[in-house]
Amino acid sequence: MQKKSSMMPILIILAVIIIAGIWWLNTDISSKSAVTSTKSLGAVELTDNNPTFDEWGKNFPEYRDMYLKVETETPKYTDFGGNLSYSKLIRYPQLTILWAGYPFSLDANEERGHFWIQVDQMDTARNNKDFLNAHGFAKFGGQPAACMNCHSGWSPWLLKNSAKGDWVRFNSTKYWTMIKDVPTINGEAPDSEAHRGPHGGTRMGVTCADCHNPETMELRITRQALINALVNFRGYQKDPIQGVKADRKEMRTLVCTQCHVEYYFKPTGSKVKVTGESIAQDPSQKWWDGTQKTYDEYDIWRDGNSPTEIEVDGIELVFPWSAWKKGEPFRIEMLDEHYDKARDANIFVSDWEHKLTKAPMIKIQHPESELFSGGVHAANGVSCADCHMPYTKGAGGRKVTQHNITSPLNDINASCKTCHSQSEDVLKAQIADIQKSVAYDLRSAEYATVSLIQDIKKLRDELGKLPAYQTAGKPDEAKISKALAEPLELHRRGQMRGDFVGAENSTGFHNPREASRMLLQAVEMARMGQAKLVEIAAANGIKGFSISNVGFEEIQKLNPGEITYKVDMAGHKAGDRYYEHHNVNGEPPKELLELDKNTKPYNYKVLDSHSASITSYKQ
């Protein structure tokens, strides 16, 4: 009996190990079932030389069809999102002042999703140098190929083949030059719809190969900017297959982090050889303003234009994460720290100088990954894919991942109710309440910042009248900016915070507490800036200087309307609509404008009765 008793603990331990092993194996198999169970016999051999979703869809037609659904379905909008591409500048006219002097103040639309991302990149006025030349933005030299990093599924192929694996060369090449190197893959003519369309050609957006290994279908990171940021700043290790070492659960977020982040174009300080265009040596080819064309705003080589080799200033696509370490939630002060160091070292000063205040500004792009990292869902192990690509039933009742990547509000049952027990109506109401509350904070920050901008401009004009701030009898902008250094810095930092929440595509839902915290900072910085302006005015003997406090009605007077040509150019007459398709850059639905009207000031009687809904758009 004694011998038997001594064996009992060992047997119990072995039993526990076996049970744990079986549980782990079952969990691992279940977690991978969405991939492994959908592998067909393989109609084609998948490779990175053909990353098109039509090609990969031959092996995985169900996933391709889910992804392509957005191409033909009626666009839908939610209170603060959706895929109806209305003009954000019409819905939020304050952006024309916040982004004054930057092309975003000319053209900014609600996003349409991954399928359309390259189409919209090619069509936007921000990528049309001739249009910018004719509409007050001539100093902007045209977008670099760095912009293709997120917008085109061909980016990894172009980096390897067109840029010869040189990361700086890829980023520094002009967008319209790099896109001409997208290969024809099925013998189609370069000027054909097949090559110049969104199904694999130059207009193809995000594709299967961006996230999946062609041999195993396992998740991987294909974008060099994210690999660099994770390894250089955040303590990850490189992995030759999936980009960095991370388990599958983390990869279900990291594949989205490739693009849903804040970034900037860091000058390398050196020259780099890139592909140029022979059109630059053709004196008959001029921009609208009469200056020499350096590239053809077209996506194929044509009319004798051919590739050349030129030398340009190098740039690198960088994520500003030097202060954000692995395992930490993101905080907005981490961007302050990174950008301050870059400015102090004169490596990167600003994205642009604000037209009205002359402040050196930072433009924030879609930082979903940063905000999400500190939210309650991330803390509980939820990944991006869990909500935006939830498991659902496919053909034959199989478990598949939803690849029609849109708002979780489209399918709350699959996206939310796997964890939450409340009814769909309750969950939808909770989401709406969070977003409306953050929207109030955001409007408060934006309106306060617009007030600060107006007041800085007003004081700049007054100081310019004083001899102490003049040179040769004219206002000296450098002297004025030195006197206004503190308000200008408050403008830069405060607007960056408002822009962060505005550019982040969840209206704060990914982390409401952090969103509200940074927006409170933004309001405080704007008001502190205004107080400082009063002090500066008094110190310079300027009497009667008062501060602004703009509201919804005043903001509406800034509505720019749809983008139109202001001059005759490129076969268009002044007054013509810029966008060919009226479902892009149009007016937002009236109910959204009514929602915004009651958001600031917060009219709870109206907002509490407003039901968050997903509505189909009808032209």
Side-chain angles (χ1 to χ4, degrees), residues 454-471:
Q454 291 183 351
D455 293 344
I456 292 175
K457 174 65 168 63
K458 183 168 57 176
L459 188 54
R460 289 196 78 97
D461 292 343
E462 291 300 317
L463 291 175
K465 298 175 184 178
L466 303 178
Y469 297 98
Q470 294 179 345
T471 296

Side-chain angles (χ1 to χ4, degrees), residues 14-294:
L14 287 173
V16 170
I17 292 174
I18 292 171
I19 292 171
I22 293 173
W23 177 85
W24 174 85
L25 182 61
N26 181 68
T27 301
D28 187 59
I29 292 172
S30 177
S31 69
K32 294 178 179 177
S33 64
V35 172
T36 58
S37 67
T38 56
K39 286 186 177 180
S40 70
L41 295 176
V44 297
E45 181 180 355
L46 303 177
T47 75
D48 284 327
N49 287 324
N50 187 344
T52 67
F53 46 74
D54 279 349
E55 177 75 1
W56 286 49
K58 293 174 182 177
N59 286 3
F60 303 98
E62 189 171 12
Y63 287 97
R64 177 199 58 206
D65 293 347
M66 281 191 284
Y67 179 69
L68 292 178
K69 184 179 178 183
V70 71
E71 181 182 13
T72 56
E73 69 182 356
T74 301
K76 297 178 180 179
Y77 63 88
T78 61
D79 286 348
F80 303 104
N83 63 351
L84 172 61
S85 192
Y86 58 77
S87 169
K88 286 187 176 181
L89 302 181
I90 295 177
R91 183 175 181 184
Y92 307 119
Q94 62 270 23
L95 298 177
T96 62
I97 298 298
L98 295 170
W99 297 335
Y102 204 52
F104 272 89
S105 67
L106 177 68
D107 187 7
N109 301 314
E110 182 64 35
E111 300 80 5
R112 290 201 290 173
H114 295 86
F115 175 82
W116 298 109
I117 193 169
Q118 176 73 329
V119 172
D120 291 342
Q121 177 75 2
M122 293 176 70
D123 289 350
T124 177
R126 300 193 306 273
N127 199 17
N128 186 333
K129 178 164 174 54
D130 223 13
F131 191 85
L132 295 178
N133 287 345
H135 292 78
F137 296 90
K139 67 179 180 180
F140 289 90
Q143 292 186 349
C147 294
M148 290 182 67
N149 187 74
C150 291
H151 289 264
S152 175
W154 282 105
S155 292
W157 188 95
L158 291 168
L159 170 59
K160 178 182 178 181
N161 295 279
S162 184
K164 301 177 174 61
D166 188 326
W167 174 237
V168 173
R169 175 173 178 148
F170 172 81
N171 286 285
S172 308
T173 305
K174 286 296 184 185
Y175 173 97
W176 286 107
T177 305
M178 182 62 71
I179 203 171
K180 291 178 175 65
D181 283 349
V182 170
T184 57
I185 52 176
N186 294 314
E188 64 268 17
D191 199 27
S192 66
E193 170 62 24
H195 179 60
R196 300 187 61 231
H199 282 261
T202 58
R203 285 170 168 76
M204 182 183 74
V206 174
T207 185
C208 317
D210 292 326
C211 303
H212 290 284
N213 185 307
E215 296 181 3
T216 65
M217 286 296 110
E218 290 181 325
L219 296 176
R220 63 172 178 173
I221 299 171
T222 58
R223 297 306 195 263
Q224 191 62 46
L226 176 59
I227 296 172
N228 292 346
L230 292 176
V231 173
N232 297 337
F233 294 149
R234 304 201 60 212
Y236 283 75
Q237 291 180 294
K238 283 187 178 181
D239 184 273
I241 303 300
Q242 63 179 32
V244 298
K245 295 185 183 301
D247 62 27
R248 185 174 181 275
K249 177 175 281 291
E250 190 172 10
M251 289 297 291
R252 281 167 61 83
T253 286
L254 288 179
V255 291
C256 303
T257 303
Q258 294 185 102
C259 295
H260 291 269
V261 292
E262 158 64 351
Y263 64 87
Y264 68 106
F265 303 146
K266 173 187 173 182
T268 63
S270 58
K271 297 287 186 179
V272 60
K273 291 183 178 180
V274 303
T275 302
E277 303 188 25
S278 63
I279 196 173
Q281 283 79 50
D282 184 348
S284 69
Q285 297 294 321
K286 304 290 185 182
W287 296 118
W288 174 86
D289 60 2
T291 58
Q292 176 63 45
K293 277 193 174 183
T294 53

Side-chain angles (χ1 to χ4, degrees), residues 343-389:
R343 179 174 53 172
D344 292 344
N346 204 32
I347 295 172
F348 179 79
V349 176
S350 66
D351 284 308
W352 92 103
E353 180 183 87
H354 197 276
K355 181 179 180 179
L356 302 178
T357 69
K358 311 302 181 185
M361 304 300 294
I362 299 295
K363 174 71 184 75
I364 301 294
Q365 282 75 213
H366 35 72
E368 287 81 39
S369 295
E370 291 92 333
L371 189 65
F372 171 77
S373 71
V376 65
H377 288 90
N380 283 278
V382 178
S383 71
C384 299
D386 289 329
C387 300
H388 292 275
M389 303 177 69

